[in-house]
Amino acid sequence: MTFDPQLVHVLGGILAVLFVATAIGQTLKHVLQAPAAANTVENLNARLNAWWGMVVIVGIAVLTGLHGALILFGLLSFLALREYITLVPTRRGDHRALFWSFFIVTPIQYLLIANRWYGLFAIFIPVWAFLLLPTRMALAGDTECFLERAAKVQWGLMICVYCLSCAPALLMHSAVEGARLLLYLIVIDQMSDVFQYCFGKLLGRHKIAPLVSPNKTVEGTIGGGLSAVALGVALRFMTPFSVGAAAGVSLAIVVAGFAGGLTMSAIKRDRGIKDYGHLISGHGGVLDRVDSLCFAAPVFFHIVRYFYTG
Amino acid sequence: MNLREQVVGSTLAGFVKLVTGANARWYAEPPSPEARARVYFANHSSHLDFVTLWASLPPRLRACTRPVAAADYWASGLRAYLAQKVFRAVLVDRGKGTGKAPEPAAPKSPKGGHGDTIPRLSEVLGGGESLIFFPEGTRGDGQEVAAFKSGLYHLCATNPGLEVVPVYLENMNRVLPKGEVLLVPLMCTVSFGEPVQLGEAEPKEDFLRRAHDALCAMRDR
């Protein structure tokens, strides 16, 4: 088995960056002893440790092609949906519809990608699950808050399963180019979060939406976003994009990712919690980590599909 | 317990932890295994309750903790194997009749307990093993914690100095509610609180209310 050399190079570069970041994190731990700074550094180091695990998992997934990517994102969807449904109040009458969401709708969505059946992949959750699940809930006979309950389950499936499944769906058309595009999407999306975090910590003054996401600042978002666009242009050798197109596509990923983070935060605030889960040390749950990807993946997928595949 | 039952037990504990993502929170120090036997008492809304609580205990405590389970449900077939061999449940008769009919929430039974139940449980505690106990007596809908039956009080009155630990199980009714056979893998939390003890000459109603409050306090934390 030979691996795509481009993927290997980019993954090697990511590991090198992570190595340098870890060295800096460990140095800061010894240099900064003040309690306020120590907390930030401790959180930074916890995040870096988790990054090592996440990079290894993503690396294996993109190197093993369509099936590796499907297994990874299928699991991510499952875990994200679980965090989402745990948080959203449901009633006894939703039980069977929830069972179907986890064990029938989610696997079918990923099996459709495995079979490269684009037509059904694109409408399965928005049409078929959309009609089927409320029917199952109506059959259960509980009408209390029916519309809210049906809407909440459908929204969770759209975000956690449909939107997230657009990431591995990049490999439907071409496994090699698709894997590069998938890694490109993940790197720009996640580095945009990292850059925004760094710029926000260093320069952040003006809060964008203090009630929704107190850590998002104008300075952090613009500085981090522009850095991510620059990275997107620098990495365009992985993609079919020209310089201008790479900048435009990266900007779309950054903006969609920002919208995802903000929207998913609004739900957390409404439910009165800080994180969706506790699976990834320093990051919260899976949904906290992939919130921006949930919005960026479908945007990126459809841009690529419309402009770059026949 | 032989090797096969240990493997089945650890596998089940792992499976339940995977399904429920059971996140144990200790609001008091977890007892050392050398500590004396205790009773973990919890709210009851699902058949998975005692397995989840059991799986949330550190393995060394798990080995010396036995659930108190209803004889009518756990008496035959695979359930009997699991209850008797794997979890080493102490099977008790939970009421007159088959347990199918809903029992009154707080029976005013003058004797309390059913025949030899309390002596048998006391014997297990005397042997140094802890118990998992559901003082509501039956599964609820997961919304409210029903009033306790008197079993917990009689257990404490018979075993002076016994520590009973409130354990609130959250979301179990959403994973496997009463009357369901299909699991929905939501995340659950198991919150262990500060132990409660029966005060000297404390009336039964006061003690049961105090224990009930301690359990509800874990829910609201």
Side-chain angles (χ1 to χ4, degrees):
Chain A
M1 182 164 191
T2 54
F3 295 122
D4 178 13
Q6 273 199 11
L7 285 181
V8 174
H9 287 152
V10 174
L11 286 168
I14 295 170
L15 289 176
V17 170
L18 203 48
F19 188 80
V20 172
T22 306
I24 294 174
Q26 292 302 317
T27 313
L28 284 177
K29 195 168 103 179
H30 292 289
V31 176
L32 294 175
Q33 301 288 352
N39 268 343
T40 305
V41 173
E42 194 180 328
N43 180 257
L44 177 76
N45 283 325
R47 281 170 184 249
L48 282 169
N49 286 342
W51 273 119
W52 280 100
M54 292 191 282
V55 166
V56 169
I57 292 171
V58 167
I60 292 172
V62 292
L63 287 175
T64 48
L66 181 60
H67 292 111
L70 285 175
I71 291 169
L72 170 66
F73 278 90
L75 282 173
L76 287 180
S77 279
F78 191 87
L79 293 172
L81 184 64
R82 167 193 201 173
E83 289 173 357
Y84 170 87
I85 299 286
T86 299
L87 191 69
V88 168
T90 60
R91 289 170 61 88
R92 176 71 176 79
D94 306 335
H95 195 78
R96 286 296 166 108
L98 292 177
F99 180 84
W100 288 32
S101 305
F102 279 101
F103 294 107
I104 296 175
V105 176
T106 305
I108 287 180
Q109 175 72 5
Y110 281 88
L111 284 172
L112 289 170
I113 302 173
N115 288 306
R116 298 183 169 80
W117 188 350
Y118 175 78
L120 193 52
F121 151 81
I123 64 160
F124 179 62
I125 291 175
V127 177
W128 296 106
F130 175 70
L131 299 176
L132 185 87
L133 292 176
T135 311
R136 185 65 193 84
M137 286 163 72
L139 281 173
D142 181 2
T143 54
E144 179 113 6
C145 303
F146 184 82
L147 186 56
E148 283 101 310
R149 286 157 49 213
K152 281 169 183 163
V153 172
Q154 181 66 19
W155 208 83
L157 275 176
M158 283 301 293
I159 289 292
C160 302
V161 183
Y162 183 77
C163 288
L164 214 46
S165 75
C166 289
L170 288 164
L171 280 76
M172 254 197 298
H173 189 67
S174 152
V176 176
E177 282 182 13
R180 292 176 189 165
L181 287 170
L182 174 60
L183 188 59
Y184 184 80
L185 165 69
I186 296 174
V187 169
I188 306 300
D189 172 77
Q190 297 292 310
M191 285 312 290
S192 172
D193 280 4
V194 171
F195 288 144
Q196 288 182 35
Y197 170 88
C198 295
F199 275 88
K201 285 275 174 211
L202 293 173
L203 306 172
R205 293 280 183 281
H206 303 90
K207 294 185 189 305
I208 293 180
L211 292 178
V212 179
S213 190
N215 287 330
K216 284 201 193 315
T217 58
V218 177
E219 294 82 357
T221 304
I222 291 177
L226 289 179
S227 310
V229 170
L231 181 67
V233 173
L235 289 177
R236 78 175 189 287
F237 65 88
M238 306 169 68
T239 68
F241 308 144
S242 64
V243 175
V249 167
S250 299
L251 186 64
I253 294 174
V254 168
V255 172
F258 171 80
L262 198 64
T263 310
M264 300 309 282
S265 281
I267 299 175
K268 288 190 277 192
R269 294 298 166 268
D270 177 35
R271 301 298 314 149
I273 51 145
K274 188 180 164 291
D275 289 325
Y276 280 102
H278 45 74
L279 202 63
I280 317 173
S281 176
H283 295 263
V286 169
L287 201 46
D288 297 294
R289 192 61 271 147
V290 301
D291 53 3
S292 54
L293 198 58
C294 289
F295 277 52
V299 169
F300 182 69
F301 174 83
H302 287 289
I303 289 176
V304 169
R305 187 178 160 79
Y306 185 78
F307 289 106
Y308 292 91
T309 56
Chain B
M1 187 160 38
N2 67 29
L3 186 65
R4 187 174 69 158
E5 273 75 39
Q6 276 189 18
V7 171
V8 173
S10 308
T11 310
L12 271 172
F15 175 74
V16 169
K17 274 188 162 172
L18 192 71
V19 169
T20 63
N23 178 21
R25 296 180 188 167
W26 289 86
Y27 292 101
E29 281 293 297
S32 67
E34 293 77 33
R36 49 181 305 185
R38 315 167 130 203
V39 171
Y40 300 94
F41 70 100
N43 56 317
H44 198 17
S45 62
S46 166
H47 278 317
L48 289 179
D49 282 346
F50 85 66
V51 192
T52 308
L53 202 168
W54 186 76
S56 306
L57 291 168
R60 287 177 66 196
L61 287 178
R62 205 187 287 162
C64 59
T65 302
R66 303 171 63 177
V68 180
D72 53 89
Y73 182 80
W74 294 95
S76 63
L78 179 65
R79 289 176 193 167
Y81 168 76
L82 290 176
Q84 286 162 23
K85 292 281 164 54
V86 178
F87 304 117
R88 299 182 307 128
V90 186
L91 296 182
V92 299
D93 189 4
R94 62 175 155 178
K96 302 137 190 109
T98 60
K100 291 254 191 272
E103 297 166 74
K108 304 261 185 307
S109 159
K111 288 199 344 247
H114 299 286
D116 65 342
T117 300
I118 296 297
R120 277 176 57 213
L121 297 181
S122 302
E123 200 176 305
V124 173
L125 291 169
E129 292 184 300
S130 299
L131 294 171
I132 295 172
F133 192 82
F134 298 105
E136 295 165 277
T138 187
R139 285 173 296 155
D141 62 3
Q143 306 300 317
E144 291 297 325
V145 181
F148 289 175
K149 296 187 173 192
S150 52
L152 193 66
Y153 167 79
H154 291 292
L155 212 47
C156 288
T158 321
N159 298 273
L162 180 67
E163 290 190 330
V164 295
V165 181
V167 185
Y168 191 78
L169 298 165
E170 191 184 7
N171 266 351
M172 294 307 300
N173 58 306
R174 295 174 71 197
V175 174
L176 186 69
K178 201 169 182 170
E180 248 313 336
V181 289
L182 299 176
L183 294 172
V184 170
L186 300 182
M187 296 190 293
C188 302
T189 40
V190 182
S191 307
F192 293 84
E194 293 277 355
V196 179
Q197 274 180 304
L198 177 63
E200 216 167 303
E202 186 175 11
K204 184 174 84 179
E205 283 70 25
D206 290 7
F207 172 73
L208 289 177
R209 195 177 313 118
R210 203 156 59 84
H212 190 274
D213 289 349
L215 185 58
C216 293
M218 299 315 300
R219 173 190 62 193
D220 304 329
R221 254 176 121 141

